[in-house]
Amino acid sequence: MTTWTLAERAAKMNSSAIREILKLTDRPGIISMAGGLPSPKAFPLDAFTEACQTVMQRDGAAALQYSTTEGFAPLRQAIADFLPWSVDPEQILITTGSQQALDLIGKVFLDKGSRLLVEKPTYLGALQAFTPMEPVAVGVDSDDEGMLIEDFAKQIGSGADKARLAYVLPNFQNPTGRTMSDARRQALVDKARELDIPLIEDNPYGDLWYEQEPPLPLAARNPEGVIYMGSFSKVLAPGLRIGFIVAPKSVYGKLTQAKQAADLHTPSFNQRVVAEVIKDGFLDRHVPTIRAMYKAQRDVMLMALEREMAGLDVKWTRPVGGMFLWVRLPAGMDAQALLAKAVERNMAFVPGAPFYAGDAQNNTLRLSYVTVSAEQINIGIAALADAIRSNTP
């Protein structure tokens, strides 16, 4: 046995609760609504096959060579053209997935003990990414529209204890599926500007709207006060690991230096392939097919919940886009304990407690509807309802 001494931050690192649950449920017969994976049916295989051949034939040597840290210029330009506000491509940094974007932002902004504001609840992966910097994550009271502005202002702190940043997911939030209203977005941007707090706007799901586009991004309302994160994982394929940051020029250089130290650059080949796929308006044609698929599966899940949870004190969100909905169980019921009963019935979900920075609400859970068929949704929700009944005194 070794007696190696690890860094203090290593003790604070932890496995993703979701990844651990996926191990538990990775067996035949389990209907898993736990993972946050996009549906493989949405992957444009033919487009990627053609793009890979084109990139290799046209500029294979460059695609396999080292590249610039900032990213492939045509891809940065395409992203700038796609965003709903005026963005200089020189403000776009291509990252190895949006998870790396979180890591870079954390490295640049957070010291040990730094105050970090997040929604209640928030994306588990963000908490995991920020943890090695050893911040103090503080949950801000939130409702169906996101952070409550009064509590946001209250939790910012002052002096040396003033929050370094606030992390938010305005569109179809993971885990709740909620969407921040136009008025709340403007109020949050205004208050953050007044108190001089950087906002980190994470938007991996924003293109997956069902009935109408979500309100204007926070970054469009105050480009100098918001760092915006995006990803191709949910609209093309997550295995590419292509994400991006849009940052004010005041911090862009430091984020680039952090990226350079982390991995020099995001894979050149992947960047060129994505640029090739999305040229000529491909996303405008492709993304509506994903929306239609996910909307249909959401509708099935909402109907199944209405039917199977009748008579139970169970509530849930009604997302208007994205991949998730959030369930609140009867008061006092522990979702972690309920998971074991659900797995016995060949159904799995993610308990809600790990999504909280503190003061976890143990009677909550997350369901994903995008990788399960309508039949599986109906069977799985019935199994969940049966597990809840068996767990009700």
Side-chain angles (χ1 to χ4, degrees):
M1 179 180 293
T2 65
T3 57
W4 297 341
T5 301
L6 302 183
E8 289 183 14
R9 73 179 67 88
K12 297 179 181 293
M13 295 178 183
N14 49 66
S15 298
S16 165
I18 299 171
R19 299 292 167 183
E20 294 303 309
I21 290 168
L22 291 180
K23 291 179 188 177
L24 172 70
T25 60
D26 188 20
R27 71 183 199 206
I30 288 282
I31 297 174
S32 178
M33 300 175 186
L37 289 65
S39 172
K41 294 179 181 178
F43 299 163
L45 301 181
D46 291 343
F48 273 107
T49 299
E50 182 179 345
C52 286
Q53 292 174 342
T54 298
V55 168
M56 287 305 296
Q57 291 169 2
R58 186 184 62 210
D59 44 24
L64 299 178
Q65 183 57 279
Y66 284 117
S67 186
T68 59
T69 301
E70 293 82 357
F72 185 48
L75 179 58
R76 295 164 74 200
Q77 182 64 61
I79 292 168
D81 293 342
F82 191 72
L83 293 171
W85 76 100
S86 179
V87 173
D88 183 346
E90 295 297 313
Q91 293 178 258
I92 296 174
L93 175 64
I94 305 297
T95 60
T96 308
S98 59
Q99 197 68 16
Q100 186 187 55
L102 290 165
D103 177 71
L104 300 180
I105 291 167
K107 286 175 178 174
V108 168
F109 279 89
L110 300 174
D111 292 313
K112 182 175 182 178
S114 295
R115 194 173 183 85
L116 158 70
L117 303 188
V118 298
E119 297 167 282
K120 286 184 182 178
T122 190
Y123 171 46
L124 171 60
L127 295 175
Q128 201 174 9
F130 293 140
T131 290
M133 275 58 79
E134 303 181 75
V136 175
V138 177
V140 176
D141 289 341
S142 306
D143 61 13
D144 289 343
E145 297 180 37
M147 279 186 175
L148 294 171
I149 305 305
E150 183 176 342
D151 197 52
F152 169 73
K154 177 182 175 183
Q155 299 295 350
I156 282 176
S158 60
D161 193 40
K162 183 179 179 181
R164 297 284 181 86
L165 57 85
Y167 170 76
V168 293
L169 297 97
N171 296 325
F172 325 128
Q173 193 228 30
N174 181 359
T176 64
R178 67 192 176 202
T179 298
M180 193 179 293
S181 69
D182 183 75
R184 185 69 62 84
R185 291 173 194 233
Q186 192 60 51
L188 179 61
V189 165
D190 291 344
K191 183 58 69 173
R193 181 193 285 116
E194 174 191 334
L195 299 175
D196 194 26
I197 295 295
L199 295 176
I200 311 303
E201 179 177 18
D202 197 355
N203 189 30
Y205 313 104
D207 294 315
L208 303 180
W209 48 268
Y210 301 150
E211 284 84 21
Q212 62 182 18
E213 289 188 62
L216 201 63
L218 307 179
R221 301 162 192 264
N222 183 20
E224 293 304 308
V226 181
I227 297 175
Y228 180 92
M229 296 167 45
S231 171
F232 288 97
S233 291
K234 308 305 186 294
V235 295
L236 287 179
L240 297 163
R241 309 311 302 132
I242 302 290
F244 60 92
I245 295 172
V246 182
K249 293 180 179 179
S250 59
V251 295
Y252 183 89
K254 284 299 174 186
L255 290 167
T256 303
Q257 290 169 2
K259 164 75 174 169
Q260 196 169 52
D263 65 357
L264 299 182
H265 64 83
T266 296
S268 309
F269 180 77
N270 293 14
Q271 293 188 65
R272 289 172 180 265
V273 168
V274 169
E276 181 66 23
V277 167
I278 67 174
K279 72 177 187 180
D280 302 326
F282 176 80
L283 289 176
D284 291 334
R285 300 188 298 275
H286 176 63
V287 175
T289 65
I290 306 176
R291 292 180 193 135
M293 185 193 320
Y294 289 1
K295 180 181 183 297
Q297 288 163 257
R298 177 211 59 176
D299 291 346
V300 171
M301 183 170 282
L302 288 176
M303 287 188 288
L305 287 165
E306 291 281 1
R307 180 178 64 251
E308 301 296 341
M309 300 298 169
L312 297 173
D313 184 20
V314 177
K315 297 179 174 60
W316 54 89
T317 57
R318 300 174 184 276
V320 294
M323 299 166 50
F324 309 104
L325 62 78
W326 188 245
V327 176
R328 188 171 299 279
L329 301 167
M333 188 173 291
D334 187 334
Q336 186 66 50
L338 181 67
L339 176 62
K341 294 181 179 292
V343 171
E344 288 174 2
R345 293 161 173 78
N346 292 322
M347 182 273 175
F349 56 81
V350 181
F355 295 95
Y356 290 88
D359 299 322
Q361 297 182 16
N362 294 319
N363 67 324
T364 57
L365 60 92
R366 190 192 75 177
L367 298 175
S368 176
Y369 45 80
V370 303
T371 56
V372 278
S373 67
E375 180 184 14
Q376 289 174 317
I377 290 172
N378 285 318
I379 294 171
I381 296 300
L384 176 60
D386 187 58
I388 292 171
R389 289 188 182 92
S390 74
N391 207 46
T392 301

